[in-house]
Amino acid sequence: MKKFLKIIISLFVIAAIAYVATISYFHFSYPQTKWNWEQIDTNNVSFPKDFIWGTATAAHQIEGNNENTNWGEWEKLSGKIKDGSNAKIAVDGWNRAKDDIKLMKDLGVNSYRFSLAWNKIEPEHGKINEAALQHYDDLINDLKADNIEPMITLHHFTHPQWFQQLGAFEKEENIKYFVEFSKLVFNRYGNRVKFWVTLNEPNVFVTSAYFNTVFPPGNANAKLGGEVLKNMLKAHVQVYKALKSVNRPSSAVIGEKMTNDREQNIQIGLATSIFQFEPFRRWHLGDWAIARSSDAIFNETILGFFRTGTLSFSVPLETNFVYTDLEAPKTIDFIGVNYYSHFAYKFDFDFKKATQSIAVEGEELTDMPYTIYTEGIYRAIEEAGKLKKPIIITENGIADSKDDRRGKYINSSLYAVSKAIKDGYDVRGYYYWSLMDNFEWAEGYTQKFGLYEVDLQTQERKLREGSKAFTEIINKDK
Ligand code: BGC
């Protein structure tokens, strides 16, 4: 009996030591960095002379008349959009493009990130709408005339309904349609547009559509989600290669170094979303397990793929695969980082509950279900920095309808970016999300991210007070 007790106690002690060791490992490897903002002078920032300052939008969220798409169809289903709205008119960006450029000019930005509505350019497979192509021609020319460098996103969550009906990125054989489209628009605009983003946030696209089902096709299927992610990353690699080989000069022979100006100037990247995932309780192994596996699924799949050439996707009990393309790290000229905030996870025996992210306690909330955690943009840059590629912050912003936190968010985010640059990270630009209020996907029009407030009745745009924090910093040394 005594011996038995001894064994039990020993096992208990071993388990306790193992528990403490594991928790300590996590605790020290993944610190939840907190800065003492009271003691930080957020005016103490400096940016390189040639820094890219921009604002970002996406076609579906601003243009209007985007019905013939996966999202247009989704919006017709009841209960999908929080306020029952849709993007039929959105903020009339298509018709107001010239005026909106004037708004950018007033801000003082030198770049604009926007996406192309594939559905408008190619409403049916193989049928090209010249007027739509011309629209973006004009947009690009008007931007350039005002010294605003365009950055084009080829896919920002939406695609034509015909592509959706074929299975979109669920099927590998559909990648070719996206490559064809990308080549088409690159042939048209590549002589004027230097910055290209192939895909916006494949991680948000996949988790929102195949895990949380708040994006079309709303299919809770992690295995399929993994397939989609893999196909999207394959699509990125193919698009990168296709665009880089367009218009090779006749003098370029195999083995000779390319001297094509256009090839060297064109910068092609992918925008990934980075959120930090924290354990709700830093001493709880269950919280850590969910936080770390969420990080692996959401952040590391994409960052790891471009860092190492290996995509490893694992959702416990659902799917698990490894896909390797060792050329992947060579197919990205810059990594686009979209950063908003961080989340926490609390273990629960109910799996559904346990995998629901919650806002980190003790921090000020934005209007979205997450907090203001701007030191996180520094952490995101640290992570992206491991790719050893230039970094562009392709999105960062706050939903703040009262406009009582926007200024603080901008100042502290830009402080963190400036510190990252001082610390040696190669950050080349920053795009505020968004130029103006717009259709925030499943949230409808309830979330106000805009530097400009939009009156949805009159479509009038008005600069928000809090946005001046942005214009002041970007115009400081002009
Ligand atoms: C998306 C945007 C969206 C923004 C704010 C990003 O994930 O790229 O389209 O509006 O977040 O939620």
Side-chain angles (χ1 to χ4, degrees):
M1 186 65 193
K2 233 182 168 184
K3 204 170 165 202
F4 182 66
L5 203 68
K6 248 188 175 172
I7 293 174
I8 295 286
I9 291 173
S10 313
L11 283 177
F12 186 78
V13 169
I14 291 169
I17 292 173
Y19 190 92
V20 171
T22 317
I23 292 288
S24 311
Y25 166 77
F26 282 129
H27 182 78
F28 291 110
S29 308
Y30 306 104
Q32 185 182 320
T33 310
K34 280 270 185 190
W35 292 354
N36 185 352
W37 288 104
E38 310 261 288
Q39 282 177 17
I40 289 174
D41 175 10
T42 54
N43 290 316
N44 182 12
V45 291
S46 58
F47 294 91
K49 270 257 152 302
D50 56 354
F51 198 67
I52 307 164
W53 289 111
T55 61
T57 62
H60 191 81
Q61 294 179 270
I62 64 159
E63 284 180 355
N65 191 25
N66 265 325
E67 278 183 75
N68 195 18
T69 62
N70 53 335
W71 264 91
E73 294 306 307
W74 181 249
E75 289 156 21
K76 289 182 191 158
L77 308 176
S78 89
K80 300 298 182 199
I81 313 297
K82 209 181 215 171
D83 55 1
S85 65
N86 57 53
K88 277 189 191 160
I89 299 176
V91 289
D92 199 25
W94 184 266
N95 297 314
R96 286 166 201 264
K98 278 192 197 300
D99 294 340
D100 289 342
I101 294 177
K102 168 120 199 345
L103 301 181
M104 294 175 217
K105 192 85 195 140
D106 291 347
L107 293 174
V109 293
N110 57 29
S111 186
Y112 176 47
R113 174 178 173 230
F114 60 96
S115 74
L116 305 177
W118 178 6
N119 59 307
K120 284 181 176 139
I121 293 175
E122 195 177 4
E124 285 171 43
H125 178 224
K127 234 186 172 181
I128 304 305
N129 177 355
E130 174 55 33
L133 281 175
Q134 186 60 46
H135 170 85
Y136 294 113
D137 255 325
D138 296 345
L139 175 63
I140 291 164
N141 293 342
D142 290 346
L143 287 166
K144 298 213 61 124
D146 269 333
N147 293 319
I148 299 175
E149 191 70 42
M151 173 187 267
I152 288 184
T153 308
L154 291 165
H155 186 277
H156 195 127
F157 298 161
T158 60
H159 43 245
Q161 185 58 10
W162 63 260
F163 183 68
Q164 184 63 40
Q165 273 159 357
L166 290 172
F169 290 110
E170 289 174 10
K171 297 203 180 118
E172 183 170 355
E173 68 252 33
N174 292 340
I175 294 175
K176 59 178 179 288
Y177 302 116
F178 180 58
V179 179
E180 274 166 18
F181 163 73
S182 303
K183 272 173 32 189
L184 172 92
V185 293
F186 185 77
N187 271 321
R188 179 98 174 202
Y189 311 128
N191 58 349
R192 283 157 292 156
V193 179
K194 179 173 170 186
F195 295 105
W196 295 78
V197 171
T198 55
L199 298 160
N200 181 66
E201 303 180 342
N203 48 355
V204 170
F205 184 83
V206 163
T207 50
S208 305
Y210 299 93
F211 288 63
N212 306 327
T213 67
V214 292
F215 277 24
N219 180 359
N221 183 337
K223 191 167 186 312
L224 191 56
E227 275 304 301
V228 171
L229 185 66
K230 178 168 67 176
N231 288 334
M232 289 181 102
L233 293 176
K234 280 187 176 182
H236 165 88
V237 171
Q238 288 184 31
V239 169
Y240 182 95
K241 287 183 182 167
L243 302 195
K244 287 283 173 160
S245 62
V246 162
N247 230 4
R248 285 171 176 252
S250 49
S251 63
V253 278
I254 296 170
E256 220 179 61
K257 200 175 170 300
M258 294 293 300
T259 51
N260 182 359
D261 251 14
R262 190 160 130 181
E263 167 153 322
Q264 281 167 4
N265 275 326
I266 298 291
Q267 300 288 304
I268 304 174
L270 174 143
T272 191
S273 171
I274 300 184
F275 271 87
Q276 289 89 30
F277 299 105
E278 325 279 8
F280 187 79
R281 298 153 294 193
R282 294 188 71 80
W283 52 266
H284 198 294
L285 205 51
D287 294 8
W288 273 110
I290 300 166
R292 292 317 305 150
S293 80
S294 299
D295 177 77
I297 292 166
F298 192 83
N299 296 319
E300 178 59 15
T301 43
I302 295 179
L303 293 173
F305 181 64
F306 290 113
R307 199 177 61 239
T308 65
T310 294
L311 160 70
S312 72
F313 191 83
S314 166
V315 180
L317 308 176
E318 305 244 11
T319 181
N320 187 359
F321 68 83
V322 174
Y323 166 71
T324 301
D325 174 352
L326 292 176
E327 279 195 295
K330 288 186 224 138
T331 66
I332 193 151
D333 300 326
F334 67 89
I335 179 76
V337 171
N338 295 355
Y339 180 78
Y340 290 91
S341 184
H342 65 165
F343 282 120
Y345 287 93
K346 202 173 190 175
F347 180 81
D348 197 294
F349 284 103
D350 175 347
F351 190 66
K352 255 210 147 137
K353 259 194 189 166
T355 50
Q356 256 160 30
S357 50
I358 43 185
V360 174
E361 274 192 330
E363 292 172 352
E364 192 173 7
L365 273 166
T366 69
D367 292 351
M368 291 291 272
Y370 46 69
T371 59
I372 298 183
Y373 177 63
T374 46
E375 47 271 68
I377 199 169
Y378 187 95
R379 287 174 71 185
I381 293 168
E382 275 181 317
E383 277 309 307
K386 294 181 187 161
L387 267 66
K388 307 259 178 287
K389 301 276 177 182
I391 297 167
I392 299 180
I393 306 299
T394 33
E395 282 179 33
N396 176 238
I398 180 170
D400 174 17
S401 58
K402 292 200 199 114
D403 196 37
D404 55 2
R405 289 147 290 169
R406 184 168 280 99
K408 172 179 157 186
Y409 184 92
I410 292 173
N411 279 327
S412 54
S413 297
L414 288 178
Y415 172 84
V417 174
S418 161
K419 176 168 163 50
I421 296 171
K422 281 183 201 154
D423 292 350
Y425 290 100
D426 186 6
V427 186
R428 305 273 174 100
Y430 174 97
Y431 291 79
Y432 183 84
W433 183 275
S434 178
L435 172 63
M436 57 208 162
D437 294 340
N438 55 47
F439 179 74
E440 178 55 29
W441 310 112
E443 301 289 320
Y445 295 97
T446 61
Q447 301 298 323
K448 309 295 184 187
F449 278 93
L451 289 173
Y452 287 93
E453 178 179 1
V454 179
D455 178 330
L456 293 170
Q457 301 306 317
T458 62
Q459 297 293 354
E460 202 188 314
R461 280 90 157 121
K462 197 171 136 227
L463 188 68
R464 288 198 162 94
E465 252 334 282
S467 310
K468 293 186 181 154
F470 184 56
T471 54
E472 270 163 29
I473 294 183
I474 74 179
N475 293 304
K476 203 167 85 180
D477 301 321
K478 276 189 187 162

